Amino acid sequence: QVQLVESGGGLVQTGGSLRLSCAVSGRTLGYDALGWFRQAPGKEREVVAAINWSAGNTYYSDSVKGRFTISRDNAKNTVTLQMNSLKPEDTAVYYCAFSSAGRAWYRPTLSDYDHWGQGTQVTVSS
């Protein structure tokens, strides 16, 4: 059973940076996809970024492209989301998610992912 544990959320001012990490256990990762999603109060959960574990291909939503970077560490079995130039509209609970379909890094949707972390709060003050 795949388990995902996020860390690194917190409170930051506009323009600041945060780094989220997701530790993956319970599976030897290969042709899989890992994604970061977020959900703001009163809004639907949306994709932020995704990565194919074996090839390292990445996808970003338009709202974060150029500001966020997703990466993976094969040795530590972790996926990281580096968030720079944060804006108040980035405030949300951020979730790490796993898909056994390696193609799910490309234009990811919620239904592509079947294992989720507990989420970590990111708050950007204006």
Side-chain angles (χ1 to χ4, degrees):
Q1 181 76 358
V2 175
Q3 293 185 324
L4 308 166
V5 179
E6 302 102 334
S7 61
L11 173 65
V12 65
Q13 292 185 334
T14 296
S17 299
L18 280 175
R19 186 179 181 89
L20 305 183
S21 291
C22 175
V24 186
S25 61
R27 179 183 175 98
T28 300
L29 296 173
Y31 189 65
D32 303 303
L34 277 297
W36 285 98
F37 295 76
R38 66 186 182 188
Q39 188 166 17
K43 294 188 177 182
E44 295 185 352
R45 193 170 298 189
E46 62 177 4
V47 64
V48 175
I51 188 167
N52 173 276
W53 188 265
S54 57
N57 305 93
T58 57
Y59 169 92
Y60 298 94
S61 67
D62 288 341
S63 61
V64 307
K65 199 173 295 182
R67 300 188 297 124
F68 290 12
T69 302
I70 188 171
S71 61
R72 88 268 196 233
D73 185 326
N74 296 66
K76 296 181 179 180
N77 250 34
T78 59
V79 60
T80 298
L81 185 69
Q82 177 66 43
M83 306 185 293
N84 298 329
S85 302
L86 283 161
K87 306 174 182 180
E89 51 263 43
D90 294 318
T91 295
V93 178
Y94 283 69
Y95 297 91
C96 177
F98 166 87
S99 172
S100 59
R103 57 161 179 77
W105 70 273
Y106 184 67
R107 295 181 180 177
T109 64
L110 271 69
S111 61
D112 290 331
Y113 291 78
D114 49 17
H115 291 81
W116 295 81
Q118 80 286 356
T120 185
Q121 177 69 45
V122 170
T123 303
V124 185
S125 63
S126 57

